Amino acid sequence: CLVYNYQQDFPSNRSLLYKEAIDVQLKEWNASKRIHNNPIYRDMTLPFEELLLSHIAYTYFIKDEYFFNKDEIAKFISDFISDNLNAPKFLDGTDILKAISIQQGILLERAKNIYSFSHLTFQEYFVAKYIDDYGLLDETIDKNLGNPKWREIFILLSGIMRRGSDTLLSAIGRKSKDYIKDESLFKETIKFIESKNTSNIQNKLTDLFLVLVFCSNIDKYKGTKTLIDLIISLDRNLGYIIDSSWIVDKKFDVKHHLCLYIELLDKLELGSSVSKDINTVLKQYQIDNSINITDEILKIFSIKFLEFEGSSIKGINEYFKSLNFLIHCKKASILVTKNNWNRIEEEILSFE
């Protein structure tokens, strides 16, 4: 609301949205403070304050601390000022903390003498800014990639880094494959899909979805949800077609929703024989319901039924989640080079 009131529009990039929300608060405070004679309002420049907030955010975030004791944070601010040769030395940490919390609302007093950022995402944004400012990307990837706590920070970081997100995206792609490094059956399934489909990645993943639904012990409803979410991230229309047509009441088997399945497969143009072959079997079943749908599909594909262990299914779901995270970071990025992204797409579905 703050950004919309100021600009009458919302930026599409998440990092830009939070940057502009913070800028609005800082700029409005900067404009209003000119009516005051107190030196704290004259000498706290916007770049200096952004730097201070990023130091606070990062220092406490890596310690898993989201609430700050007043005396501790005031001392932190005072130490930061004293260590900066260009900072105005007469400013007091307690006064600065009070000014920031009262005038801006970026830091708030949650309880008596207990402060925090007004919104966790503000802290995460400043953490991402600190990482970019001080060139800590490689270190942060090594220590925190795959940690759910850092997920939003990596997405925000993607939208901050002006030199581009190729390094981060490549690292996420490699991390994704780690989840299935020992899953030979699943990797063979991917190879099968690759042999049948030379189209784009979302079409290949949709073919994978079809094979897992009809030819594996993975739950058709709960077990494929992470894959559907990934397809939605890649192609919203395609993903929603699958989501609305396939995720039906789990009490019913495919035969009770045959028309929906056939209608869906008739709509899909995936550039491969997988969906066409499955659709052929479903239409045969309409004529002769004595045939076993799965057995017929396995016969056409010349593959065995895919029986995954529980631990394997967990790893496969983590693989899909990680790829979804990769797509979110790519969409948030300012710069993604075409060659690097093409290489990443090839590698995440490529197994020796």
Side-chain angles (χ1 to χ4, degrees), residues 228-329:
I228 289 176
D229 290 341
L230 170 59
I231 295 170
I232 289 173
S233 294
L234 286 161
D235 186 330
R236 186 176 297 269
N237 291 332
L238 175 60
Y240 283 153
I241 287 173
I242 296 171
D243 200 18
S244 61
S245 298
W246 292 69
I247 303 302
V248 292
D249 192 330
K250 63 183 179 181
K251 295 178 182 177
F252 297 101
D253 192 58
V254 59
K255 66 184 72 173
H256 296 285
H257 296 272
L258 201 56
C259 292
L260 280 178
Y261 282 65
I262 291 173
E263 181 182 354
L264 166 65
L265 291 170
D266 283 338
K267 288 180 180 177
L268 293 178
E269 297 178 359
L270 303 181
S272 78
S273 60
V274 172
S275 63
K276 293 177 182 177
D277 288 342
I278 291 175
N279 206 16
T280 297
V281 173
L282 295 181
K283 288 177 178 177
Q284 287 175 352
Y285 182 86
Q286 277 188 315
I287 299 171
D288 179 9
N289 63 11
S290 66
I291 68 171
N292 184 295
I293 292 174
T294 296
D295 287 347
E296 291 299 316
I297 294 173
L298 292 173
K299 190 184 302 180
I300 291 175
F301 291 159
S302 299
I303 61 174
K304 294 182 179 180
F305 185 76
L306 307 172
E307 189 79 38
F308 295 104
E309 299 289 338
S311 58
S312 297
I313 294 173
K314 181 179 178 181
I316 291 168
N317 275 318
E318 289 302 320
Y319 170 69
F320 292 145
K321 287 179 184 177
S322 186
L323 291 184
N324 202 354
F325 173 51
L326 171 66
I327 301 304
H328 280 289
C329 287

Side-chain angles (χ1 to χ4, degrees), residues 96-108:
I96 291 175
L97 177 61
K98 182 179 179 181
I100 292 175
S101 63
I102 292 176
Q103 297 293 330
Q104 297 171 353
I106 293 178
L107 288 177
L108 292 179

Side-chain angles (χ1 to χ4, degrees), residues 2-3 6-7 15-31 46-47 49-50 53 104 106 122 125-126 129 162:
L2 198 64
V3 174
Y6 194 77
Q7 297 186 342
S15 299
L16 186 58
L17 173 63
Y18 291 120
K19 178 183 184 302
E20 292 185 356
I22 290 166
D23 283 350
V24 168
Q25 287 180 281
L26 294 179
K27 286 174 183 176
E28 286 188 346
W29 180 58
N30 194 46
L46 293 181
E49 188 177 358
E50 287 182 348
L53 289 169
Q104 297 171 353
I106 293 178
F122 283 169
Y125 170 81
F126 280 114
K129 193 173 187 310
R162 292 189 176 277

Side-chain angles (χ1 to χ4, degrees), residues 110-160:
R110 298 292 188 178
K112 186 173 177 59
N113 296 329
I114 301 296
Y115 288 78
S116 75
F117 281 85
S118 58
H119 195 287
L120 176 59
T121 309
F122 283 169
Q123 183 173 4
E124 290 171 332
Y125 170 81
F126 280 114
V127 171
K129 193 173 187 310
Y130 183 95
I131 292 167
D132 187 47
D133 287 345
Y134 289 91
L136 300 178
L137 176 63
D138 290 340
E139 176 185 327
T140 305
I141 287 173
D142 290 342
K143 290 182 178 179
N144 303 302
L145 189 60
N147 184 338
K149 169 189 164 183
W150 287 79
R151 184 180 189 277
E152 185 69 18
I153 288 172
F154 281 116
I155 294 175
L156 291 169
L157 192 56
S158 300
I160 289 174

Side-chain angles (χ1 to χ4, degrees), residues 50-202:
E50 287 182 348
L51 188 63
L52 170 62
L53 289 169
S54 71
H55 275 256
I56 293 172
Y58 183 82
T59 300
Y60 284 92
F61 191 85
I62 61 174
K63 297 190 295 183
D64 289 328
E65 294 182 16
Y66 305 98
F67 296 94
F68 328 123
N69 177 272
K70 178 182 178 181
D71 292 338
E72 183 181 344
I73 194 69
K75 183 179 184 303
F76 181 96
I77 295 171
S78 295
D79 290 345
F80 178 80
I81 292 171
S82 65
D83 195 46
N84 185 344
L85 291 176
N86 291 334
K89 303 303 179 193
F90 52 82
L91 295 183
D92 177 76
T94 302
D95 290 339
I96 291 175
L97 177 61
K98 182 179 179 181
I100 292 175
S101 63
I102 292 176
Q103 297 293 330
Q104 297 171 353
I106 293 178
L107 288 177
L108 292 179
E109 187 174 17
R110 298 292 188 178
K112 186 173 177 59
N113 296 329
I114 301 296
Y115 288 78
S116 75
F117 281 85
S118 58
H119 195 287
L120 176 59
T121 309
F122 283 169
Q123 183 173 4
E124 290 171 332
Y125 170 81
F126 280 114
V127 171
K129 193 173 187 310
Y130 183 95
I131 292 167
D132 187 47
D133 287 345
Y134 289 91
L136 300 178
L137 176 63
D138 290 340
E139 176 185 327
T140 305
I141 287 173
D142 290 342
K143 290 182 178 179
N144 303 302
L145 189 60
N147 184 338
K149 169 189 164 183
W150 287 79
R151 184 180 189 277
E152 185 69 18
I153 288 172
F154 281 116
I155 294 175
L156 291 169
L157 192 56
S158 300
I160 289 174
M161 296 185 294
R162 292 189 176 277
R163 63 185 177 276
S165 301
D166 285 352
T167 299
L168 175 58
L169 298 179
S170 296
I172 298 172
R174 292 192 297 272
K175 179 70 174 179
S176 300
K177 295 177 74 172
D178 285 346
Y179 291 113
I180 54 170
K181 61 183 179 181
D182 298 323
E183 305 303 332
S184 56
L185 180 59
F186 181 71
K187 289 190 282 189
E188 287 299 318
T189 306
I190 296 283
K191 288 180 183 179
F192 168 75
I193 298 298
E194 285 276 278
S195 70
K196 296 286 186 179
N197 195 327
T198 58
S199 184
N200 56 43
I201 186 171
Q202 55 263 38

